[in-house]
C-alpha cells in the first residue's frame, strides 16, 4: 500500500517575492509592473488602511453599521484585485469591501452597505460583482457558475471569489472548486487564511497542513502565497488569471495573512482567543511596512507622498459620509418594489398599507 | 431565587443537563473557548472540558450530520446554529434526516437532539442573520419547535427539550437575550413542551403570540387597559405542536382573537392558528380572527428594520378592529 498524504502536503510551500525586510527573495517571479504600478499598489494599501481606521471610528460613533475590519489583509485583498480586468466578475465575502471599492464601487455606497441600505448592494454599471456575501461559502459555488457562463460565451474574463480559512470547511467550498474543475471554468478561488474564523484557530478547522492542498482533490491547481506580500499575491493571481483565460482551468490560492482587528465591530473580543505575542509576531510581517521599505529603497516613495495619500483618503471619506447621510432613507415600500418584477397581489395590498404608514 | 437574563437562564439550563447526563454534548461554531458569539455557552468548556463542550469546523451541514451521528452512538447533542438565518445550510439534516429518523427506522433509531439558535430581529444584524424562520420547521413533521419568551420559561423549556427523546428546535429571540431579567430558580425544573402559558388574563380579546411578540402583546394589553379593554395574552411557548386546548378555552371566553407573529404574513404559524380556531370554535367568534405580522418581503435591511417589524401599536390597531367589528 502506498499512502501519499505526507509527500503531497510537504510540497505546498509558501510562495514569496518580498520578505519581511522589504528585500526581493525571488527575482525570477517578479511581476512585470511599472514604477507607476508599484506606487499605485502602495497608494491603495495606505488609503485602505486609513479607510479601515476611519470605518472603525465611524462605527463606534454609530455612523456606520456592520463592519468587518481589514487591516493586515491589504496585500491579499488589493494584490489580487489589481490582477483583474474591469470585465472580470467579483464574488466577495463580507470582509472584501476594499476589492469592490478599487474595482469602482463608490465609497458612499460601501457606507450604505454598512448601514444596511440596499443601495449599497447596487453595483455601478462598470462593476461586475455581487455585494459581499454573508452566507459563508455560497459565493464559491456561484463563482463556478459565473465562470462556466464566461467560458460558454467565449469571453476572456474570469470569476474571482473570496472566502476565509473558516470558509474552507463549508460544503459549498468543495462543491465550488470541484464544479469549476470539472468544467475547467475560468475561476479564481482565493482563501484569505487569517488564522482564525472568529475565535476558532485554523488548526481546529481541519487536519490539512495547508488549505491550498485542498485543490488536489478537486484536480485543480492550488498554491499557498505570502498574503502579506503584495507582489507575491499579485503575481499568483495574475498567473491564475492568464491560465484561466487560456482555458487551463481554475486555481485555488491560499494567502497567509492576519486580521489585526476584531472579527467585526459587533462585540467580538480577540483577547478571548489570541495572544499579544501572536498579534505582534504578525505585525512584523505587515504588508505596508515591507512594501514601503522596498519602494523607499527604489526611491519611489517618501513620507510626503504617504501623507498626501492619507489626506486624500480622509477627505474622500468625509465627503462620502456626507453623501451617505444625504441619501434618501430606505423605506419598507422600497424593499417591496425589489421583491418581484411585478408585484403579486399580497404585496400590492401591503404596499398600500405601508405607504400610509410611511406617510405618517 | 436568582435574577437572570434569558441568556443566563439558557446557560444555566445547559450547565444543569451537562451535570445530569454525561451523554449531553454542547458544540457549534465558537461555542468553546469563546463561549459563543452571544456568550450563551460562556464558561461551559472550562467547567466540563473540551470533550463535552467544543468548537466545530465552520459548516452548519456538518454540525447537523455530526449531531445525528453522535445521537446514533447514544449521545444527546445540543448543537448551536450561530444564527438561525443560516438554517438553510443545515436544512437537510433537520428536515430531511433527524426529523425522520424514528419514522424511517421504525423506531429502532431516535435522534434526541436539541438544536439551539438565536433568531428574530430588531438588533441590526447584517443580512441573513435575523429572521423568523420557525414556520419552515414547524411545517416539518417529526421535530418540535420551542420558543421561550422569559428567562424562567427558557430554563425549564430547555432542560425539558434536552431530555426529550425526539429532535427539538429551540429558538432564542436575540432581542430578548439581555433586554430584561426575571426570577429563575437555581434548582432544576422542567416545563412541559407543547403547552402554552397565559401571560395575562383578560375577558375581551385573546392575543396569541410567541417570542418577542409576547412582550409587544403585553405592552399592547397595557395600552388597551386604559381604554377599558381587557386583553388575554397567550404565550404559545411551543409553535409545533400547538396547544389548541388553551387557545380554544380562551377563545370561548373572549370571542375575539388577534394572532401576532414577527414573521412575514404568508403561510406561517399564525395562519395555522387561525385555521385551527375557525375549524373548532367558529360559532364562538364575534369577529374575524386577525393577524399582526411583518409584510411579505425578505427580512428588511437593517435601516428599515424598525418600521418593518410589527409592534404594539399594530396590535392595538387590530384589536380595535375586532372589538368594533
Ligand atoms: C453559513 C454561515 N455560518 C456562519 C456564519 C457566521 N460567521 C461569520 S464570519 C465567521 C467566521 C469566518 O471565518 P473565515 O472564513 O476564516 O473568515 P474571516 O472572518 O476570518 O475573514 C462565522 C462563523 C455565517 N456568516 N455564515
Ligand atoms: Mg479567517
Amino acid at each position: 500500500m502506498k499512502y501519499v498524504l505526507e509527500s503531497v502536503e510537504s510540497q505546498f510551500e509558501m510562495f514569496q517575492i518580498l520578505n519581511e525586510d522589504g528585500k526581493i527573495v525571488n527575482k525570477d517571479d517578479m511581476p512585470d509592473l511599472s514604477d507607476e504600478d508599484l506606487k499605485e499598489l502602495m497608494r491603495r494599501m495606505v488609503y485602505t488602511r486609513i479607510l479601515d481606521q476611519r470605518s472603525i471610528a465611524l462605527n463606534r460613533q454609530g455612523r456606520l453599521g456592520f463592519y468587518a475590519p481589514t487591516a493586515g489583509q491589504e496585500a491579499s485583498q488589493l494584490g489580487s484585485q489589481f490582477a483583474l480586468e474591469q470585465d472580470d466578475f467579483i464574488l466577495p465575502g463580507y470582509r472584501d469591501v476594499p476589492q469592490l471599492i478599487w474595482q469602482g464601487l463608490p465609497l458612499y455606497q460601501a457606507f450604505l452597505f454598512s448601514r444596511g441600505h440596499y443601495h449599497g448592494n447596487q453595483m455601478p454599471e462598470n462593476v461586475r460583482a455581487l455585494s459581499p456575501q454573508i452566507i459563508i461559502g455560497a459565493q464559491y459555488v456561484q463563482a463556478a457558475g459565473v465562470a462556466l457562463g464566461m467560458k460558454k460565451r467565449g469571453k476572456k474574463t474570469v470569476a474571482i471569489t473570496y472566502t476565509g480559512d473558516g470558509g474552507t470547511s463549508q460544503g459549498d467550498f468543495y462543491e465550488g472548486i470541484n464544479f469549476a474543475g470539472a468544467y475547467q471554468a475560468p475561476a479564481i478561488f482565493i482563501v484569505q487564511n487569517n488564522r482564525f474564523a472568529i475565535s476558532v484557530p485554523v488548526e481546529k478547522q481541519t487536519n490539512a497542513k495547508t488549505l491550498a492542498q485542498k485543490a488536489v482533490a478537486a484536480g485543480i491547481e492550488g498554491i499557498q502565497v505570502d498574503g502579506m506580500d503584495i507582489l507575491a499575491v499579485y503575481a499568483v493571481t495574475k498567473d491564475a488569471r492568464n491560465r484561466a483565460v487560456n482555458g487551463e482551468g481554475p486555481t485555488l490560492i491560499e494567502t497567509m495573512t492576519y486580521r489585526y482587528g476584531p472579527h467585526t465591530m459587533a462585540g467580538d473580543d480577540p483577547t478571548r482567543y489570541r495572544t499579544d505575542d501572536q498579534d505582534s509576531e504578525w505585525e512584523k510581517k505587515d504588508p505596508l511596512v515591507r512594501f514601503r521599505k522596498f519602494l523607499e529603497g527604489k526611491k519611489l516613495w517618501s513620507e510626503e507622498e504617504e501623507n498626501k495619500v492619507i489626506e486624500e483618503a480622509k477627505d474622500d471619506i468625509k465627503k462620502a459620509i456626507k453623501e451617505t447621510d444625504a441619501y434618501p432613507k430606505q423605506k419598507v415600500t422600497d424593499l417591496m418594489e425589489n421583491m418581484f418584477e411585478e408585484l403579486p397581489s399580497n404585496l400590492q395590498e401591503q404596499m398600500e398599507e405601508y405607504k400610509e404608514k410611511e406617510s405618517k | 431565587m436568582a435574577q437572570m437574563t434569558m441568556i443566563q437562564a439558557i446557560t444555566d439550563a445547559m450547565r444543569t443537563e451537562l451535570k445530569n447526563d454525561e451523554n449531553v454534548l454542547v458544540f457549534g461554531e465558537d461555542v468553546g473557548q469563546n463561549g459563543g458569539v452571544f456568550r450563551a455557552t460562556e464558561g461551559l468548556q472550562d467547567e466540563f472540558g473540551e470533550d463535552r463542550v467544543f468548537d466545530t469546523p465552520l459548516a452548519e451541514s456538518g454540525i447537523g450530520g455530526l449531531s445525528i451521528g453522535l445521537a446514533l452512538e447514544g449521545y444527546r447533542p445540543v448543537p448551536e446554529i450561530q444564527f438561525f438565518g443560516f438554517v438553510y445550510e443545515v436544512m437537510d439534516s433537520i428536515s430531511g434526516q433527524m426529523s425522520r429518523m424514528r419514522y424511517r427506522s421504525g423506531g429502532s433509531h431516535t435522534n434526541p437532539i436539541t438544536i439551539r439558535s438565536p433568531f428574530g430581529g430588531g438588533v441590526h444584524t447584517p443580512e441573513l442573520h435575523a429572521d423568523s424562520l420557525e414556520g419552515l420547521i414547524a411545517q416539518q413533521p417529526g421535530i418540535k419547535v420551542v420558543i421561550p419568551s422569559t428567562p424562567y420559561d427558557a430554563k425549564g423549556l430547555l432542560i425539558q427539550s434536552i431530555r426529550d427523546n425526539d429532535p427539538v428546535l429551540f429558538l432564542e429571540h436575540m432581542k430578548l437575550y439581555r433586554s430584561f431579567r426575571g426570577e429563575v430558580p437555581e434548582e432544576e425544573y422542567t416545563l412541559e413542551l407543547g403547552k402554552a402559558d397565559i401571560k395575562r388574563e383578560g375577558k375581551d380579546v385573546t392575543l396569541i403570540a410567541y417570542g418577542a411578540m409576547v412582550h409587544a402583546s403585553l405592552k399592547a394589553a397595557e395600552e388597551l387597559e386604559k381604554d377599558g379593554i381587557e386583553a388575554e395574552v397567550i404565550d404559545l411557548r411551543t409553535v409545533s405542536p400547538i396547544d389548541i386546548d388553551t387557545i380554544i378555552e380562551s377563545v370561548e371566553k373572549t370571542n375575539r382573537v388577534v394572532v401576532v407573529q414577527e414573521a412575514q404574513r404568508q403561510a406561517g404559524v399564525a395562519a395555522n392558528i387561525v385555521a385551527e380556531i375557525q375549524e373548532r370554535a367558529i360559532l364562538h367568534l364575534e369577529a374575524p380572527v386577525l393577524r399582526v405580522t411583518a409584510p411579505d418581503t425578505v427580512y428588511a435591511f437593517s435601516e428599515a428594520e424598525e418600521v418593518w417589524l410589527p409592534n404594539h401599536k399594530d396590535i392595538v390597531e387590530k384589536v380595535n378592529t375586532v372589538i368594533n367589528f
Side-chain angles (χ1 to χ4, degrees):
Chain A
M1 266 176 254
K2 187 175 175 218
Y3 292 108
V4 299
L5 177 64
E6 213 181 305
S7 65
V8 170
E9 262 185 340
S10 64
Q11 289 181 52
F12 282 84
E13 285 169 13
M14 188 177 79
F15 175 82
Q16 192 183 51
I17 291 179
L18 199 62
N19 72 9
E20 286 178 40
D21 304 323
K23 298 259 170 359
I24 300 285
V25 293
N26 178 2
K27 245 198 177 122
D28 296 348
D29 287 308
M30 182 68 189
D32 186 21
L33 287 168
S34 66
D35 285 355
E36 277 317 300
D37 286 341
L38 293 174
K39 291 179 71 161
E40 178 62 14
L41 285 174
M42 187 67 202
R43 195 181 81 78
R44 290 184 179 195
M45 285 204 288
V46 171
Y47 190 110
T48 306
R49 179 70 58 91
I50 296 296
L51 176 61
D52 182 65
Q53 290 166 359
R54 292 297 304 142
S55 298
I56 289 172
L58 287 164
N59 169 283
R60 294 211 168 111
Q61 297 160 17
R63 302 190 67 195
L64 282 184
F66 170 71
Y67 183 68
T70 59
Q73 299 188 206
E74 291 88 350
S76 293
Q77 298 185 325
L78 308 184
S80 53
Q81 187 277 331
F82 202 68
L84 303 181
E85 299 295 330
Q86 197 62 42
D87 280 346
D88 292 339
F89 200 111
I90 308 180
L91 297 96
Y94 47 84
R95 205 180 298 286
D96 304 311
V97 177
Q99 293 95 306
L100 294 176
I101 291 172
W102 291 111
Q103 194 79 2
L105 179 72
L107 262 189
Y108 86 95
Q109 283 192 272
F111 291 158
L112 282 172
F113 164 75
S114 168
R115 286 188 183 177
H117 191 304
Y118 74 96
H119 183 51
N121 294 18
Q122 290 176 319
M123 291 299 136
E125 222 162 290
N126 66 330
V127 179
R128 306 199 66 221
L130 285 184
S131 59
Q133 179 58 254
I134 298 296
I135 292 301
I136 292 172
Q139 68 275 31
Y140 256 56
V141 231
Q142 296 165 10
V146 174
L148 177 58
M150 290 168 168
K151 181 175 175 177
K152 283 185 182 297
R153 295 209 185 283
K155 289 185 182 171
K156 291 286 176 204
T157 54
V158 300
I160 186 168
T161 185
Y162 294 84
T163 192
D165 40 307
T168 64
S169 294
Q170 285 283 23
D172 282 355
F173 167 84
Y174 296 96
E175 292 170 28
I177 61 175
N178 187 57
F179 269 55
Y183 293 117
Q184 285 294 285
I188 302 175
F189 297 99
I190 307 249
V191 174
Q192 295 180 72
N193 179 357
N194 63 8
R195 316 300 303 173
F196 289 90
I198 308 187
S199 71
V200 181
V202 63
E203 293 76 18
K204 283 194 181 168
Q205 207 61 243
T206 176
N207 194 49
K209 277 213 176 64
T210 70
L211 301 175
Q213 76 195 54
K214 298 194 177 222
V216 175
I220 69 172
E221 293 295 354
I223 185 166
Q224 188 186 68
V225 56
D226 183 345
M228 308 301 256
D229 170 1
I230 196 161
L231 293 177
V233 175
Y234 171 81
V236 295
T237 314
K238 190 80 184 163
D239 188 61
R241 192 183 184 286
N242 285 340
R243 283 184 294 102
V245 296
N246 286 336
E248 292 168 51
T251 305
L252 177 66
I253 299 171
E254 175 188 15
T255 71
M256 304 302 281
T257 183
Y258 203 69
R259 92 173 126 73
Y260 298 158
H263 169 67
T264 67
M265 297 306 294
D268 179 51
D269 173 10
T271 64
R272 281 176 168 256
Y273 53 83
R274 299 197 306 215
T275 61
D276 285 350
D277 284 356
Q278 217 168 357
D279 289 353
S280 49
E281 188 194 313
W282 276 92
E283 278 166 25
K284 276 189 227 145
K285 302 179 198 282
D286 188 76
L288 279 70
V289 171
R290 75 170 78 170
F291 201 56
R292 187 183 292 121
K293 275 189 194 152
F294 168 69
L295 289 188
E296 280 170 357
K298 288 171 74 88
K299 303 258 180 290
L300 287 175
W301 198 251
S302 66
E303 211 180 309
E304 291 97 87
E305 259 167 308
E306 178 135 349
N307 286 335
K308 225 177 85 192
V309 180
I310 292 173
E311 286 317 308
E312 183 200 349
K314 285 183 176 167
D315 264 11
D316 287 358
I317 293 164
K318 237 185 246 159
K319 276 185 214 136
I321 266 291
K322 275 199 192 130
E323 223 175 322
T324 312
D325 288 340
Y327 199 81
K329 273 265 178 199
Q330 169 180 254
K331 299 194 299 275
V332 173
T333 44
D334 297 331
L335 305 180
M336 289 178 172
E337 298 277 10
N338 287 329
M339 285 302 301
F340 290 96
E341 186 174 15
E342 277 174 40
L343 277 190
S345 56
N346 57 331
L347 276 172
Q348 278 175 25
E349 202 179 293
Q350 292 167 25
M351 181 69 104
E352 295 311 313
E353 200 184 309
Y354 277 80
K355 267 187 189 156
E356 206 190 302
K357 267 193 189 182
E358 287 169 351
S359 68
K360 279 182 198 159
Chain B
M1 248 193 270
Q3 286 284 323
M4 288 187 202
T5 58
M6 192 162 103
I7 198 156
Q8 286 169 330
I10 286 164
T11 313
D12 197 41
M14 281 189 275
R15 182 180 294 114
T16 304
E17 288 312 277
L18 279 160
K19 263 190 208 147
N20 277 335
D21 181 350
E22 61 182 19
N23 288 316
V24 170
L25 301 175
V26 170
F27 52 87
E29 294 159 9
D30 304 283
V31 306
Q33 193 179 340
N34 204 38
V37 294
F38 285 98
R39 312 288 181 242
T41 52
E42 172 96 59
L44 296 181
Q45 187 176 72
D46 281 347
E47 194 173 338
F48 297 97
E50 219 178 318
D51 253 13
R52 309 269 320 274
V53 179
F54 52 92
D55 289 329
T56 63
L58 201 173
E60 290 72 20
S61 56
I63 293 169
L66 194 75
S67 302
I68 293 168
L70 285 165
L72 293 175
E73 265 299 306
Y75 286 96
R76 204 166 270 274
V78 185
E80 174 179 292
I81 298 300
Q82 198 165 77
F83 287 87
F84 204 57
F86 312 154
V87 65
Y88 301 106
E89 295 284 324
V90 61
M91 207 62 190
D92 182 56
S93 282
I94 296 176
S95 291
Q97 305 297 327
M98 67 179 77
S99 302
R100 297 168 195 238
M101 186 61 78
R102 181 186 291 278
Y103 173 82
R104 70 185 284 258
S105 70
S108 55
H109 293 299
T110 56
N111 266 176
I113 298 165
T114 303
I115 302 166
R116 292 182 37 252
S117 190
F119 86 116
V123 297
H124 296 301
T125 51
E127 239 188 307
L128 282 150
H129 284 64
D131 223 330
S132 291
L133 302 173
E134 65 281 359
L136 291 181
I137 314 295
Q139 195 171 356
Q140 173 61 48
I143 182 167
K144 295 169 188 167
V145 182
V146 176
I147 303 178
S149 72
T150 67
Y152 177 86
D153 288 357
K155 178 170 172 180
L157 289 169
L158 182 51
I159 292 177
Q160 186 55 41
S161 297
I162 296 172
R163 291 182 188 176
D164 196 280
N165 285 330
D166 287 299
V168 175
L169 173 65
F170 191 86
L171 291 175
E172 305 163 1
H173 200 288
M174 285 186 247
K175 204 164 180 180
L176 300 182
Y177 268 153
R178 294 187 166 80
S179 56
F180 66 99
R181 285 169 191 273
E183 291 204 333
V184 178
E186 265 150 83
E187 60 274 18
E188 63 178 73
Y189 60 94
T190 57
L191 295 172
E192 199 185 328
L193 307 187
K195 200 99 196 77
D197 183 42
I198 297 177
K199 286 282 189 290
R200 177 188 171 117
E201 289 196 26
K203 60 174 180 34
D204 298 326
V205 61
T206 301
L207 300 177
I208 301 171
Y210 54 95
M213 287 298 120
V214 171
H215 299 279
S217 300
L218 288 168
K219 199 166 166 192
E222 273 173 37
E223 301 258 305
L224 290 162
E225 195 180 359
K226 292 179 202 154
D227 297 330
I229 298 168
E230 289 177 35
E232 177 144 298
V233 177
I234 296 181
D235 176 359
L236 287 176
R237 297 201 297 201
T238 300
V239 301
S240 179
I242 282 172
D243 180 358
I244 304 287
D245 292 347
T246 301
I247 293 174
I248 298 300
E249 211 174 297
S250 178
V251 173
E252 288 177 356
K253 176 171 73 173
T254 64
N255 315 114
R256 290 178 166 85
V257 191
V258 173
V259 189
V260 188
Q261 72 179 16
E262 191 177 305
Q264 293 87 337
R265 181 180 167 95
Q266 57 187 63
V269 171
N272 183 34
I273 291 167
V274 176
E276 295 285 356
I277 293 171
Q278 72 82 24
E279 279 187 29
R280 292 158 200 267
I282 196 158
L283 295 178
H284 291 275
L285 292 174
E286 295 288 348
V289 180
L290 296 186
R291 281 176 286 169
V292 174
T293 69
D296 291 331
T297 72
V298 170
Y299 189 89
F301 286 102
S302 61
E303 209 192 76
E305 205 175 2
E306 293 308 328
V307 182
W308 188 88
L309 287 167
N311 61 31
H312 69 280
K313 287 185 207 146
D314 302 322
I315 302 172
V316 168
E317 200 182 303
K318 287 279 157 85
V319 168
N320 284 326
T321 311
V322 298
I323 294 279
N324 299 322
F325 183 77

